[in-house]
Each structure stands twice: as C-alpha cells, then as structure tokens.
Amino acid sequence: MTLTALSFTLLFVMGTMLVSIWQKLGLEKDIAIGTIRSAVQLLAVGYVLQFIFQAEHMIYVVLIIIFMIGVASWNAAKRGKGLPGLVWRIAVAISAMELLMMGILLGLHIIEATPQYIIPISGMTIGSAMVVSGLFINHLKHEMQQNKGEIETLLSLGATAQQAMQKVRARAVKFSMIPTIDGMKTVGLVQLPGMMTGMIIAGADPVIAVRYQILIVFSFTASAAVTSMLLSVLIYRLFFTADLRLKLPGAVD
C-alpha cells in the first residue's frame, strides 16, 4: 500500500467528522485527536519494531512487553478510581498471565522464540487482558453497590470477606468473559479476525492463516480467564477496611 493510497483513507475520517458537525454530535474533536494519536502511535511503534526485529536482542523484547503491561495496567485501573494499589495488582495479574502464556507457547515450541512472534502475540493477549480487567473492575463495582446490603448481612453473620464476596466476584468474572466467549462463538461466521485477514492479504495460504488465528483465539480466551480470575483474588480486599467493614469507592461515611 502506497502512502498516497493510505492518505485517501482520511476521507472516511473526514466524512465521519462532517456527519458529526451536521448532526451536532460534538464528536469531531475526539475523532480528530484519535486519528492523529493513532497514526503517530502506530508509526512510532512500526519504527521501534523494525529496530527490535533487526537487533534481535531479547532484552528489547522484555522491555517492550514490560512497557505494554504498564500501559495496559494504568489504562484498566481508570475503571477503579478510589481503589488504592489497583495499578500494581492489575500489573501482577497481567504479568502472571503473560508468563503463563509465553511459557506454554515457547515451552511446547508452538511459536518460535523470536521477536517477530513473541511481541505481536504478547501485544494481542495483553490488550485482551486489559479489556477484560476494565470490564471486571467496572462490573465488580456495580455488583458491590447493588448487593451492599447482602454483603453486609453476610459479614454480620460471621462470614469472611472472601465468603461474602463469592457470588459478586463470580458474576463479575462471568460478565468480563462475555465479549471473549461471544467472539469465540461467532469467529469466522460474523467476522474474519485481524491476524487471519492480514495474513491472507499478505498472500499467505488461508489454511495456514486460520491455524494462526485459532492460536490467537485460544490464547485470548485463556488470557481473559486467567486475568479475570487472578484479579478477583487480588482486589476484593480493597473493598473492605482492616476490621471488615465494607468500603465502596466514592462512598461517604
């Protein structure tokens, strides 16, 4: 794809902005900022990856994965304002997921131990874990507010924080997994996923492209489940004081 052809895709963005102005939606500023940021960020990442692929030093791979985890944790933590120590807990959950996934993929020789494989697959699984983390935290807060009375009743009857939160945590985990599970059910029928489509456009055999996409789908599902379950263990205590009184973010004592 030439730069000239790529520049023509801005017509889609301009059309969207004109519709926003016409309908007085007020989205044109956000669309413009998003367009510029996405272009700059992707171009920057392209040059960084080009350097890493040419250098072929694993230290660069580790550093970029740490950076990805840090950004993902910080972004997901925005869903839980008022919860102290949330960023590092999300980072621990995503890091554990990444170590487990890469340990299996590399240990069983499913993928090659090269930057060309490790970085893209890590980026996709970390991104999936970030979305799941945000969904889990958001729904957990909602469940806590909706079931405050039930939780306090259980605590008053002698239940531990873990016991009082069991049903709430389970519902939050299930909710965070819904997009991933729905995606598995419709993949290939409703949409052709990104990796598969990209490989086919690049000239790869469709069957080989499908095999790689199956790898990504299974990795996404596992990373989502592991991250959500780990978070349910790591953060539920943030909603309680030391003497097991319920403490909701933003609530007035």
Side-chain angles (χ1 to χ4, degrees), residues 92 158 194 245:
V92 167
R245 286 184 295 118

Side-chain angles (χ1 to χ4, degrees), residues 12 20 31 38 42 44 50 66 75 87 96 98 119 121 123-124 141 145 152 156 190 207 228 232 242 251:
F12 298 115
S20 176
I31 293 172
S38 61
L42 287 172
Q50 186 180 59
I66 291 174
N75 191 64
V87 174
E98 172 68 9
I119 294 176
I121 293 177
M124 285 186 281
K141 288 172 60 181
Q145 292 167 352
E152 290 179 333
S156 68
V190 177
V207 176
S228 186
S232 73

